[in-house]
Amino acid sequence: MAQPIRVVLAEDHTLLRALLRQTLAACPDIIVVGEAETGYEAVRLIGAVQPDVVVLDIELSGGLDGVEVATRLAGMRCRVLAHSSHSDPVHVAHLLQAGASGYLSKEAPVGRIGEAVRAVAAGESRWFEADAGASAPLTTEE
């Protein structure tokens, strides 16, 4: 069996972070290796545990938002799955320019998180929309 995908959750809402952790715990091929509430916490934790994927809320509290966290992670081996309620293409483009590999809407069914983590870990760049069946590869222009 392959090594599990190691994930850090960077989300400032305690309840949502717990829901993400619980959902990913049901995936035998994914393991949550850490959680952070603020951007500064996320950067320190990611440097310490070297996850494969970071599920990164864009509106983190504590003075360092998700876009800045993604920028600081450039050059590290982990991939970023941006997680936000913002779904306009311009906002998502800023996330991708900052280094995110994929985007998962907070409006998406919670069960999509495993699929999104697996895709990003595999090197895919995808935009997972709120529609239960919607997922599209991102083009260079996007």
Side-chain angles (χ1 to χ4, degrees), residues 9 33 46 52 82 131:
L9 301 175
V33 295
I46 293 161
D52 301 306
D131 179 355

Side-chain angles (χ1 to χ4, degrees), residues 43 46 67-78 80 97-100:
V43 170
I46 293 161
V67 174
E68 182 61 29
V69 170
T71 301
R72 290 182 182 205
L73 297 178
M76 295 181 100
R77 71 172 195 86
C78 67
V80 175
Q97 289 170 351

Side-chain angles (χ1 to χ4, degrees), residues 21 32 37 43 51-52 58 60 69 72 80 83 88 100 103-104 108 120 122 125 133:
R21 178 183 350 102
V32 175
E37 289 184 44
V43 170
D52 301 306
I58 301 311
L60 290 171
V69 170
R72 290 182 182 205
V80 175
H83 192 230
D88 65 278
Y103 170 83
L104 176 68
V120 168
S125 292

